[in-house]
Amino acid sequence: MAGDSHDPVRQGLAQTLPRLWRYALVLSGNRDTAEDLVQATCVRALERSDQFAAGTRLDRWLLAILHSIWLNEVRARKVRRGQGLVDADAVLVFDGLAHTETNIWAGEVLRAVQALPEAQRETVFLVYVEGMSYREAAGLLAVPVGTVMSRLAAARAKLADLGSASAVAGAAAEGKR
Amino acid sequence: MANPHDDGQPSDEVLVAYRDGELGAEESARLEARLAGDATLTARLDTLGPAPARFAEAFEPLLAAAPDERLNAKLAAALGEHATAPAWTRRPSLRVVAAAVVVFAVGAAAGYLAPVAVRPRPPQEAATQPNWREAVAGYQSLITSDSMAVISDDPATIGKELTAIGGKLSLDLSPAKLTLPDLDLKRVELFDYLQRPLAQIAYLSSDGPIAFCIIANGRPDEASAFEQRDGFNIVYWNKGGRGYLVIGHAPRVRLETLAGELAERVS
C-alpha cells in the first residue's frame, strides 16, 4: 500500500512502543493493563490513521490516543467494578528497575512520582518525562494551562524532599545516594 | 491556583513555570529583577525539587525494561486485524456524527426536525456498514449516567419525537413499544450517518446508559451477533433493510435479552 496514509502511523507505532508502554505503566500501575493499553492504542491508531496529519508529531498523537482509551474505557471500567484505582502493587512495579547504587535515587523518583495523585502524576510525566510544553500537555489532558501549572506546583511540593537539582547532582557525582 | 503569599510574592506556579522555561520573556525578566535583590525568593526557587531533566533520567531505564517482543507481537496482531478491512473503506470518525448532532440539535431547537436525505446505497458501499456501529460506540462513550440525569424526559416530547423519527425510518415507533421494565426511556435523537438516518433511543438502566439504535442501511437480513467495541458490549442485527443495535456496558446476557424483546416489538 505504497503512499497509503497509514504508513507513517505504522512505522511510527513500531518505534514508539516502549514509550507508549511506559506511559501506560505510569497511568495504570499494572504491567498487564499497560500491555493491553498499548495494543488497544495500536488498533485505534491504525483505524484512525487517516486522521493523522503527516508532518505533525506522531508520538504526541499516539500518547493522546492512549490517554483517551485509558480514561474512557479502562479506567472507567475499573471504577465501575469498584476496583479502586490505586493498585497496591503499583509502587512495587518499579522495584526491579533501579537497584544499583547510582540508581537508588532514580528508584526514589519513580516511587515518589507513582505515589502522586493521578492527575499530578500524569501531568508530571507528560511535562517532565515526555518533555511536553505546558500547552501541549494541557491539550492532551484537555485542561486549561493554569491547571497544568497548579498540578505541577502541587506535585513539586510533594516531591520537594527529593532534593533540588544542585543537591542531587552533587550526591550523584559522589555516588552516595 | 493557590497563592499562600499575601505579601505580593510570586506564587509557586509562577516560580515553577519560570524554572521550567515556560514563563514569557517579560515576566521572566521581571522575576529575575526581583530575584536579584530577594534572598527569600531565591531560596524558594531552590526548594522546588528536582530539575525536569532528573525526572526524565529516572524514567529512562523504563524504556529498556519494556517487553519489546510482546509489544511487537501486539502491534503485529493489530496490523493483522486492520489489514482485513478493505483498504478503500473510509472510516468516518466521531466528528462526522458529532457534527451531525450539532446540526440536528440546532434544527430541533428551531422547532422542526431537519429533513434527512435518504439515498439508496449501491451494494458495494454496503461494506462500510460496520462503521456505523463504531460511530455509535464513539458517541456512546461521551454519555454517562450523570450526563443523562440532567436530561428532561418529558413523555409528550419523547412521544412526538418518536413519531417523527419513526416517519424518517418508515417504522412505527411509539413510547409504548419502546418502554421496557426496569429501563428509563430518557431521550430519542436522530442522527445522519453518511446520509442515512440513524435513530438513537437512549435508556438509563441499573447498568448505566443503554442505547437502542436503528439505521436505514438497506442491507439484507442478518441474524443477531455480538461484538465489543471501545469497551462496550454490542448486540446487532439487520432486518427489513434496517440495522439495529443495542449498546451499553451492561452484561452481554442482559443486552441479548433486550435485543430480543426490541426486535419483536419494532419491525
Side-chain angles (χ1 to χ4, degrees):
Chain A
M1 294 177 188
D4 203 333
S5 68
H6 79 244
D7 271 354
V9 172
R10 190 180 190 162
Q11 284 160 18
L13 264 173
Q15 290 160 10
T16 318
L17 289 177
R19 278 168 67 197
L20 292 175
W21 177 81
R22 180 174 65 175
Y23 183 36
L25 195 60
V26 169
L27 285 175
S28 66
N30 179 292
R31 286 174 189 256
D32 288 339
T33 309
E35 289 184 27
D36 288 345
L37 270 172
V38 172
Q39 177 157 17
T41 302
C42 291
V43 171
R44 187 72 53 86
L46 290 167
E47 280 177 359
R48 296 188 178 169
S49 55
D50 55 349
Q51 287 178 39
F52 173 67
T56 62
R57 298 235 4 205
L58 179 71
D59 57 352
R60 301 283 191 250
W61 187 72
L62 294 173
L63 289 170
I65 290 177
L66 198 156
H67 175 259
S68 165
I69 296 175
W70 161 248
L71 203 62
N72 294 323
E73 299 168 35
V74 182
R75 186 186 187 281
R77 237 191 318 218
K78 280 182 144 191
V79 169
R80 246 195 313 279
R81 290 193 192 139
Q83 278 170 2
L85 292 169
V86 178
D87 194 324
D89 294 327
V91 170
L92 301 178
V93 157
F94 298 120
D95 268 0
L97 294 167
H99 269 325
T100 66
E101 281 281 330
T102 51
N103 273 336
I104 285 178
W105 182 80
E108 284 182 28
V109 172
L110 289 176
R111 269 184 283 277
V113 168
Q114 207 60 14
L116 288 173
E118 189 174 333
Q120 291 173 24
R121 174 175 11 115
E122 251 200 312
T123 312
V124 162
F125 180 81
L126 290 174
V127 175
Y128 295 147
V129 180
E130 281 292 340
M132 289 192 187
S133 68
Y134 285 11
R135 216 170 89 182
E136 283 174 322
L140 189 153
L141 296 168
V143 297
V145 170
T147 303
V148 168
M149 292 173 73
S150 34
R151 288 181 185 176
L152 290 175
R156 281 185 165 289
K158 291 201 176 69
L159 299 167
D161 55 2
L162 285 175
S164 68
S166 47
V168 164
E174 292 169 47
K176 279 209 176 123
R177 285 198 67 174
Chain B
M1 281 201 241
N3 184 0
H5 303 271
D6 292 328
D7 49 359
Q9 284 250 328
S11 66
D12 287 343
E13 282 87 353
V14 168
L15 290 184
V16 171
Y18 171 69
R19 263 278 300 274
D20 292 344
E22 290 268 357
L23 216 54
E26 258 189 57
E27 267 204 84
S28 294
R30 270 205 301 273
L31 187 61
E32 276 156 8
R34 287 193 67 161
L35 280 167
D38 193 334
T40 325
L41 197 53
T42 313
R44 271 181 67 203
L45 256 191
D46 277 342
T47 63
L48 288 181
R54 295 278 169 262
F55 289 102
E57 261 175 42
F59 278 81
E60 189 68 28
L62 273 178
L63 292 178
D68 288 333
E69 265 185 49
R70 284 208 297 278
L71 294 179
N72 280 312
K74 290 188 187 290
L75 174 56
L79 283 167
E81 205 179 299
H82 185 72
T84 57
W88 49 265
T89 304
R90 292 285 306 158
R91 291 177 178 262
S93 68
L94 173 66
R95 284 178 306 188
V96 173
V97 176
V101 169
V102 171
V103 166
F104 180 68
V106 168
Y112 64 92
L113 295 178
V116 173
V118 181
R119 280 187 234 148
R121 310 299 283 181
Q124 64 268 23
E125 289 189 58
T128 60
Q129 285 318 298
N131 301 321
W132 81 276
R133 300 197 300 278
E134 179 63 42
V136 167
Y139 179 61
Q140 194 69 8
S141 47
L142 298 176
I143 295 167
T144 63
S145 299
D146 277 349
S147 66
M148 295 199 81
V150 302
I151 300 169
S152 96
D153 48 2
D154 165 44
T157 312
I158 292 184
K160 265 197 323 207
E161 288 169 348
L162 274 177
T163 309
I165 291 175
K168 294 283 179 256
L169 291 165
S170 306
L171 268 182
D172 176 19
L173 296 177
S174 67
K177 285 196 172 190
L178 294 170
T179 300
L180 291 159
D182 54 72
L183 282 185
D184 275 341
L185 176 53
K186 295 293 287 185
R187 173 177 58 191
V188 300
E189 296 182 275
L190 183 68
F191 298 131
D192 172 309
Y193 183 79
L194 298 180
Q195 281 115 40
R196 301 181 193 93
L198 189 164
Q200 164 141 348
I201 293 130
Y203 297 95
L204 194 49
S205 78
S206 55
D207 286 314
I210 292 180
F212 172 43
C213 299
I214 309 170
I215 185 171
N217 61 10
R219 291 204 70 188
D221 288 3
E222 271 174 29
S224 124
F226 173 82
E227 70 178 0
Q228 289 189 312
R229 275 180 191 273
D230 298 0
F232 287 102
N233 287 333
I234 300 178
V235 179
Y236 62 102
W237 66 102
N238 232 84
K239 184 115 192 281
R242 297 177 193 87
Y244 298 83
L245 69 77
V246 178
I247 180 174
H249 288 295
R252 173 177 177 169
V253 161
R254 182 171 190 183
L255 292 181
E256 284 174 341
T257 309
L258 271 176
E261 287 217 40
L262 288 165
E264 278 202 39
R265 293 167 172 227
V266 174
S267 48

